[in-house]
């Protein structure tokens, strides 16, 4: 399996406290990896460290020359621009209108894509944010609690988009504190607690079988 990013003994220290402690894991091409743990477990810190937003205190993150995209918290949108204007502004030269239209269809943005984003609901903003993340065909997209506050239809569309792009080689790292949100779409789950990686479980049947055991490790 083609590994696109490898995290080796990564520690992140804030003042005198370790936010991450000797994290070892990897992400493979086309893999959907769930990052599960309670609030404060270190999930967002790990994601921001992978993206280069937070410096590493010890260890190493090794990867090929890959293109990364992310949606951390809510997408940063310009309220007086439409969704289409966002997509066209952020599209790279090689990204065609056909590819933009594909994303609009996949995430069912058609009805509001030409509205100003100040008029968008949370679900509409999140769906546009996912479209922006996928826009230029990244190798890895990092999503922090992407299903928070979404209606069931938006969750369904998000899952469909993740599975569609993973089949063509895009990798995903998706955080959640709810395993049941992820187990239908992930290949693997990384379980975090208090800055430590406490479990690495491979899907499919194992997630169902070990769900209670995994959650017990967080107690």
């Amino acid at each position: 399996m083609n590994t696109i990013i490898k995290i080796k003994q990564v520690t992140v220290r804030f003042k005198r406290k370790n936010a991450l402690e000797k994290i070892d894991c990897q992400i493979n091409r086309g893999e959907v990896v769930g990052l599960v743990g309670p609030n404060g477990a270190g999930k967002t810190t790990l994601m921001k460290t992978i993206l280069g937003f937070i410096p590493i205190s010890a260890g190493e993150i090794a990867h090929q020359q890959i293109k990364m995209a992310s949606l951390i918290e809510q997408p940063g949108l310009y309220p007086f621009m439409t969704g289409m204007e966002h997509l066209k502004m952020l599209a790279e030269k090689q990204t065609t209108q056909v590819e933009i239209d594909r994303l609009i269809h996949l995430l069912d943005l058609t009805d509001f894509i030409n509205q100003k984003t100040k008029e968008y609901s949370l679900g509409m903003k999140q769906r546009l944010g996912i479209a922006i993340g996928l826009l230029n065909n990244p190798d890895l997209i990092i999503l922090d609690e992407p299903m928070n506050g979404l209606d069931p239809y938006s969750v369904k569309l998000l899952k469909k988009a993740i599975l569609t792009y993973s089949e063509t080689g895009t990798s995903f790292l998706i955080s959640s504190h709810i395993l049941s949100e992820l187990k239908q779409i992930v290949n693997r789950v990384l379980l975090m607690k208090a800055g430590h990686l406490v479990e690495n479980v491979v899907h499919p049947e194992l997630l169902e079988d070990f769900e209670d055991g995994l959650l017990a490790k967080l107690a």
Side-chain angles (χ1 to χ4, degrees):
M1 202 173 272
N2 184 3
T3 299
I4 63 169
I5 189 163
K6 192 168 236 181
I7 297 151
K8 305 175 184 176
Q9 291 285 292
V10 165
T11 295
V12 170
R13 188 172 296 109
F14 296 146
K15 296 183 178 177
R16 296 183 179 179
K17 181 180 178 182
N18 285 350
L20 298 177
E21 180 72 40
K22 296 183 178 179
I23 302 293
D24 274 310
C25 61
Q26 66 185 44
I27 299 172
N28 303 311
R29 187 166 299 282
E31 189 176 36
V32 182
V33 179
L35 187 60
V36 179
N39 292 336
K43 302 186 301 295
T44 301
T45 300
L46 177 58
M47 291 180 152
K48 289 183 175 179
T49 302
I50 292 171
L51 290 164
F53 299 158
I54 295 175
I56 297 170
S57 303
E60 178 188 6
I61 296 179
H63 57 79
Q64 309 164 5
Q65 291 298 315
I66 60 171
K67 184 190 297 184
M68 289 192 279
S70 65
L71 181 58
I72 306 290
E73 299 164 352
Q74 290 191 22
L77 302 174
Y78 295 100
F80 294 100
M81 289 177 62
T82 68
M84 183 65 84
E85 287 169 340
H86 278 85
L87 292 174
K88 287 187 173 181
M89 176 183 70
L90 295 169
E92 296 177 353
K93 287 183 179 180
Q94 69 271 23
T95 301
T96 66
Q97 185 62 47
V98 170
E99 291 173 300
I100 292 174
D101 291 342
R102 179 193 181 210
L103 277 170
I104 290 170
H105 175 74
L106 183 62
L107 289 157
D108 197 9
L109 307 175
T110 306
D111 289 346
F112 53 87
I113 195 66
N114 292 310
Q115 293 179 26
K116 291 181 171 61
T117 60
K118 68 176 183 177
E119 301 168 4
Y120 282 21
S121 67
L122 173 61
M124 292 157 70
K125 288 178 180 177
Q126 201 78 336
R127 279 149 63 186
L128 178 61
I130 298 297
I132 290 170
L134 292 168
L135 181 60
N136 298 308
N137 293 307
D139 299 288
L140 171 65
I141 181 165
I142 294 178
L143 305 174
D144 191 9
E145 302 280 359
M147 299 171 195
N148 262 7
L150 295 189
D151 60 89
Y153 181 63
S154 294
V155 170
K156 181 180 177 181
L157 289 171
L158 176 55
K159 289 179 178 178
K160 180 182 177 183
I162 290 167
L163 291 173
T164 298
Y165 273 78
S166 67
E167 287 172 1
T168 61
T170 299
S171 304
F172 291 82
L173 180 62
I174 308 170
S175 80
S176 179
H177 59 282
I178 304 172
L179 179 57
S180 59
E181 286 183 347
L182 298 177
K183 65 184 181 183
Q184 295 175 337
I185 57 171
V186 297
N187 306 109
R188 187 157 50 91
V189 163
L190 304 175
L191 188 72
M192 291 192 70
K193 178 180 179 182
H196 292 77
L197 186 61
V198 296
E199 193 69 75
N200 184 341
V201 179
V202 177
H203 197 62
E205 291 85 3
L206 291 179
L207 288 180
E208 192 72 41
D209 293 345
F210 285 95
E211 182 170 5
D212 292 339
L214 286 175
L215 298 179
K217 293 187 182 214
L218 298 178

